[in-house]
Short mmCIF file of all heavy atoms in Angstrom, two decimals:
data_model
loop_
_atom_site.label_atom_id
_atom_site.label_comp_id
_atom_site.label_asym_id
_atom_site.label_seq_id
_atom_site.Cartn_x
_atom_site.Cartn_y
_atom_site.Cartn_z
N ALA A 182 -5.18 9.05 -14.48
CA ALA A 182 -4.04 8.46 -13.76
C ALA A 182 -2.97 7.97 -14.73
O ALA A 182 -1.77 8.18 -14.51
CB ALA A 182 -4.53 7.32 -12.88
N ALA A 183 -3.39 7.31 -15.80
CA ALA A 183 -2.44 6.82 -16.79
C ALA A 183 -1.66 7.98 -17.41
O ALA A 183 -0.44 7.88 -17.62
CB ALA A 183 -3.18 6.02 -17.87
N ALA A 184 -2.36 9.07 -17.71
CA ALA A 184 -1.70 10.22 -18.30
C ALA A 184 -0.69 10.85 -17.35
O ALA A 184 0.30 11.46 -17.78
CB ALA A 184 -2.74 11.26 -18.71
N LEU A 185 -0.89 10.68 -16.06
CA LEU A 185 0.00 11.25 -15.05
C LEU A 185 1.11 10.29 -14.63
O LEU A 185 1.89 10.59 -13.74
CB LEU A 185 -0.80 11.67 -13.82
CG LEU A 185 -1.84 12.78 -14.04
CD1 LEU A 185 -2.68 12.98 -12.78
CD2 LEU A 185 -1.16 14.07 -14.43
N GLY A 186 1.14 9.11 -15.24
CA GLY A 186 2.18 8.14 -14.92
C GLY A 186 1.92 7.35 -13.66
O GLY A 186 2.85 6.74 -13.10
N VAL A 187 0.69 7.33 -13.19
CA VAL A 187 0.35 6.54 -12.01
C VAL A 187 0.33 5.06 -12.37
O VAL A 187 -0.33 4.67 -13.33
CB VAL A 187 -1.02 6.98 -11.45
CG1 VAL A 187 -1.46 6.06 -10.31
CG2 VAL A 187 -0.98 8.43 -10.99
N SER A 188 1.02 4.24 -11.60
CA SER A 188 1.05 2.81 -11.86
C SER A 188 0.91 2.02 -10.57
O SER A 188 1.40 2.43 -9.52
CB SER A 188 2.35 2.42 -12.58
OG SER A 188 3.47 2.71 -11.77
N ASN A 189 0.22 0.90 -10.67
CA ASN A 189 0.00 0.00 -9.52
C ASN A 189 -0.41 0.75 -8.26
O ASN A 189 0.17 0.55 -7.18
CB ASN A 189 1.27 -0.81 -9.23
CG ASN A 189 1.68 -1.66 -10.41
OD1 ASN A 189 0.85 -2.30 -11.04
ND2 ASN A 189 2.96 -1.65 -10.72
N PRO A 190 -1.41 1.61 -8.36
CA PRO A 190 -1.74 2.44 -7.19
C PRO A 190 -2.50 1.69 -6.11
O PRO A 190 -3.19 0.71 -6.35
CB PRO A 190 -2.62 3.53 -7.79
CG PRO A 190 -3.34 2.82 -8.91
CD PRO A 190 -2.30 1.88 -9.49
N ILE A 191 -2.36 2.20 -4.90
CA ILE A 191 -3.29 1.87 -3.83
C ILE A 191 -4.42 2.87 -3.97
O ILE A 191 -4.22 4.08 -3.82
CB ILE A 191 -2.62 2.01 -2.45
CG1 ILE A 191 -1.40 1.11 -2.35
CG2 ILE A 191 -3.62 1.70 -1.34
CD1 ILE A 191 -0.50 1.44 -1.17
N VAL A 192 -5.61 2.41 -4.29
CA VAL A 192 -6.75 3.30 -4.52
C VAL A 192 -7.54 3.41 -3.22
O VAL A 192 -8.02 2.42 -2.68
CB VAL A 192 -7.64 2.77 -5.65
CG1 VAL A 192 -8.85 3.68 -5.86
CG2 VAL A 192 -6.83 2.68 -6.95
N VAL A 193 -7.65 4.64 -2.74
CA VAL A 193 -8.30 4.92 -1.45
C VAL A 193 -9.58 5.70 -1.72
O VAL A 193 -9.54 6.76 -2.36
CB VAL A 193 -7.37 5.74 -0.53
CG1 VAL A 193 -8.04 5.98 0.82
CG2 VAL A 193 -6.02 5.05 -0.37
N GLY A 194 -10.71 5.19 -1.24
CA GLY A 194 -11.97 5.89 -1.45
C GLY A 194 -12.74 6.07 -0.16
O GLY A 194 -12.84 5.14 0.65
N HIS A 195 -13.29 7.27 0.01
CA HIS A 195 -14.14 7.54 1.17
C HIS A 195 -15.59 7.63 0.72
O HIS A 195 -15.91 8.31 -0.26
CB HIS A 195 -13.74 8.85 1.84
CG HIS A 195 -14.71 9.30 2.90
ND1 HIS A 195 -15.46 10.45 2.81
CD2 HIS A 195 -15.09 8.71 4.07
CE1 HIS A 195 -16.23 10.57 3.87
NE2 HIS A 195 -16.02 9.53 4.65
#
Side-chain angles (χ1 to χ4, degrees):
L185 297 173
V187 173
S188 62
N189 300 316
I191 302 166
V192 178
V193 182
H195 171 244

